[in-house]
Amino acid sequence: TGGVITIDPGYKNTGSCESAITFLDGEKGILRYRGYSIEELAEKADFLEVAYLLIFGELPTKEQNDKFHNDIKAESIVDEDVKKILDAFPKAAHPMGVISSLTSALTAFNPSSVNVDSEEDMYKSVVRILGKFPVLVAWTLRKKQGLPLDYGDDSLGYVENILKMMFRKPHGEYTQNQILVDALDKLLILHADHEQNCSTSTVRIVGSSHAGLFASLSAGISALWGPLHGGANQAVLEMLEAIRQDDGDTKKYMAKAKDKSDPFRLMGFGHRVYKNFDPRARIIKKAADEVLGDLGIEDPILDIAKGLEKEALEDPYFVDRKLYPNVDFYSGIIYRGMGIPTDMFTVMFALGRLPGWIAQWREMRLRKEPIGRPRQVYIGETERKFIPINKR
Ligand code: SDX
């Protein structure tokens, strides 16, 4: 329309929407879900309560909470045909590729023409995906390990049963460990939403074409996979492992991270919004100490991580650029302590972020946001005539 187009790579200075879901203050390290501080929610709420809060805007009453749990359990059965899709994946397939495809496959079982204005339709879709996704996560892990798939035990709580589906021994024996249940519940809460991050913006823009919720979530999973985003938790452990095998030479990796000619970045450091500390990283670091301590795990990786953090916090390059540990820096250490394989860490991030994606998708549709279609500044060739191939 002839208006001025300003380019903003990575949308560093562009707001994409108004939202009432999550508030971040990057300078003060504040994170709130629907006005409640992340510190309080991580301490006092459980994951499904937080999921309800993010999606429907209020903490559930006891009655709403019980109904939510029961409705989710009732929706946790996955069509046997989905197992055939899972069977088709080679064992070497990355779990994020598997889970993104299975989520997309679920669209066959959830009309993408869901009427977002119908509370009942929306509620049904929400409990359907919250019921089925953890099963797909557990089955993806079990498939890679060549272990039988099942539904665990629906007399258990949501997070307890995720752990049982993931770690039940082939003959069925399984001992519940409350330390792991509490740690996973807290990790999922800490990952539940984070305003307009890369994967949430993806879910919003895909949903803005009126693609279905599950198709939009599948797109969000793919965006999260990247090592600059959710894939960082896996990349952090790979980096720490490399340092460990390199005699713990953190100085060498710090130098690489500062060398502009080297594409290496210190994974788990830096954030687009937090220019002070990431409040989630503080909570996770404390939880990592507690969980490994309670489990009696002496993980040299944790000491390397702490050493690296100390060095970075004292290094002018990092201090000048306000690079601090982010949510991904310590989370993998807890997942590893829980016995979760490294290539499943980002799937665990997606499991936590699911309610946030759903909440943001629903808000975008309820506010009737227009289809996302940015413009560009063209820098290619001016008009030119076609040249027949025998003259090129
Ligand atoms: C998540 O957005 C969210 O909210 C995401 C998330 C969520 O909950 O959804 O919080 C989850 O994705 C956390 C981030 C996980 N990613 C990583 O840990 C990967 C390593 N981090 C970097 O790739 C980077 O810090 C980003 C991607 C997180 C942020 O990138 P920005 O905001 O685009 O910053 P930038 O690349 O412009 O960097 C600014 C400067 C540059 O140096 P100069 O050109 O100014 O000299 O800082 C440097 C960068 O080179 N820099 C780093 C660095 N991160 C930035 N240098 C070394 N190591 C790093 N990790």
Side-chain angles (χ1 to χ4, degrees):
T1 54
V4 174
I5 304 272
T6 47
I7 303 294
D8 181 16
Y11 309 119
K12 294 193 175 190
N13 302 295
T14 296
S16 60
C17 62
E18 291 176 341
S19 176
I21 299 169
T22 291
F23 171 74
L24 299 190
D25 180 322
E27 290 309 320
K28 298 189 187 118
I30 294 173
L31 168 56
R32 296 188 197 125
Y33 297 159
R34 300 283 188 182
Y36 295 94
S37 79
I38 192 63
E39 290 80 7
E40 273 219 285
L41 291 170
E43 268 315 303
K44 300 173 183 170
D46 73 31
F47 178 57
L48 282 192
E49 249 182 311
V50 170
Y52 190 99
L53 169 67
L54 285 166
I55 296 167
F56 301 110
E58 296 298 335
L59 285 168
T61 61
K62 173 103 177 58
E63 189 191 5
Q64 288 167 330
N65 201 42
D66 293 346
K67 181 179 184 310
F68 196 47
H69 278 71
N70 294 332
D71 291 343
I72 287 169
K73 271 183 192 165
E75 279 291 350
S76 61
I77 304 305
V78 175
D79 192 290
E80 285 296 297
D81 284 348
V82 175
K83 278 188 186 171
K84 293 177 190 151
I85 301 170
L86 184 52
D87 288 341
F89 280 96
K91 271 200 174 48
H94 193 286
M96 282 299 273
V98 175
I99 204 80
S100 170
S101 308
L102 295 179
T103 302
S104 191
L106 286 181
T107 49
F109 308 97
N110 188 66
S112 60
S113 57
V114 162
N115 172 8
V116 287
D117 295 312
S118 148
E119 278 293 321
E120 191 189 340
D121 275 13
M122 199 58 222
Y123 182 83
K124 191 87 184 143
S125 287
V126 168
V127 296
R128 190 171 282 143
I129 189 66
L130 287 176
K132 296 175 187 341
F133 195 76
V135 176
L136 299 180
V137 167
W139 286 2
T140 298
L141 170 62
R142 303 286 282 192
K143 195 78 202 150
K144 272 185 82 69
Q145 296 174 333
L147 292 172
L149 316 179
D150 75 4
Y151 287 100
D153 172 353
D154 78 355
S155 68
L156 295 176
Y158 189 73
V159 171
E160 284 176 290
N161 200 37
I162 291 170
L163 288 169
K164 178 153 190 176
M165 288 190 286
M166 291 174 84
F167 296 115
R168 181 185 63 79
K169 295 279 188 300
H171 295 294
E173 66 279 17
Y174 176 77
T175 41
Q176 198 60 266
N177 182 330
Q178 198 54 41
I179 297 166
L180 300 188
V181 173
D182 295 343
L184 182 55
D185 198 78
K186 185 175 279 190
L187 279 169
L188 296 178
I189 289 171
L190 291 168
H191 285 84
D193 193 53
H194 215 238
E195 60 131 278
Q196 305 312 317
N197 59 85
C198 179
S199 54
T200 299
S201 300
T202 302
V203 169
R204 275 181 172 257
I205 202 163
V206 169
S208 73
S209 74
H210 287 197
L213 172 59
F214 293 11
S216 306
L217 294 174
S218 173
I221 293 167
S222 298
L224 186 71
W225 192 354
L228 295 189
H229 190 15
N233 59 14
Q234 174 176 343
V236 166
L237 256 292
E238 288 160 354
M239 172 185 74
L240 294 172
E241 194 53 44
I243 294 172
R244 191 172 72 86
Q245 287 172 22
D246 217 341
D247 299 329
D249 184 357
T250 49
K251 291 210 177 332
K252 174 177 162 188
Y253 288 80
M254 289 288 288
K256 276 169 66 72
K258 296 187 281 188
D259 175 357
K260 288 293 172 206
S261 64
D262 189 327
F264 174 78
R265 284 178 163 209
L266 215 58
M267 301 316 278
F269 271 81
H271 198 276
R272 175 64 55 78
V273 178
Y274 290 126
K275 296 308 173 191
N276 201 320
F277 61 91
D278 181 335
R280 302 166 298 175
R282 278 196 172 165
I283 298 170
I284 294 177
K285 178 180 178 182
K286 186 165 165 284
D289 265 332
E290 287 162 2
V291 170
L292 297 190
D294 293 347
L295 294 173
I297 297 175
E298 286 287 317
D299 189 347
I301 290 283
L302 181 59
D303 299 329
I304 292 175
K306 287 180 176 175
L308 198 59
E309 177 186 10
K310 188 172 178 310
E311 274 191 58
L313 296 183
E314 291 162 4
D315 185 304
Y317 180 95
F318 283 79
V319 174
D320 293 351
R321 290 166 178 78
K322 300 178 182 289
L323 303 176
Y324 298 90
N326 57 49
V327 68
D328 292 306
F329 188 61
Y330 283 103
S331 56
I333 289 168
I334 299 181
Y335 291 138
R336 184 172 130 121
M338 297 171 81
I340 294 172
T342 309
D343 66 359
M344 281 288 293
F345 289 178
T346 312
V347 172
M348 301 310 287
F349 192 144
L351 183 62
R353 185 52 52 89
L354 202 62
W357 286 333
I358 296 168
Q360 299 271 352
W361 183 93
R362 180 168 180 267
E363 180 179 73
M364 175 274 301
R365 288 296 308 274
L366 288 178
R367 287 171 56 92
K368 307 213 180 319
E369 306 271 349
I371 185 168
R373 201 270 183 230
R375 296 301 311 277
Q376 62 168 25
V377 170
Y378 178 71
I379 55 168
E381 299 284 343
T382 51
E383 187 173 6
R384 47 187 177 163
K385 288 290 173 215
F386 183 79
I387 302 163
I389 193 159
N390 55 7
K391 294 232 176 351
R392 286 177 209 159

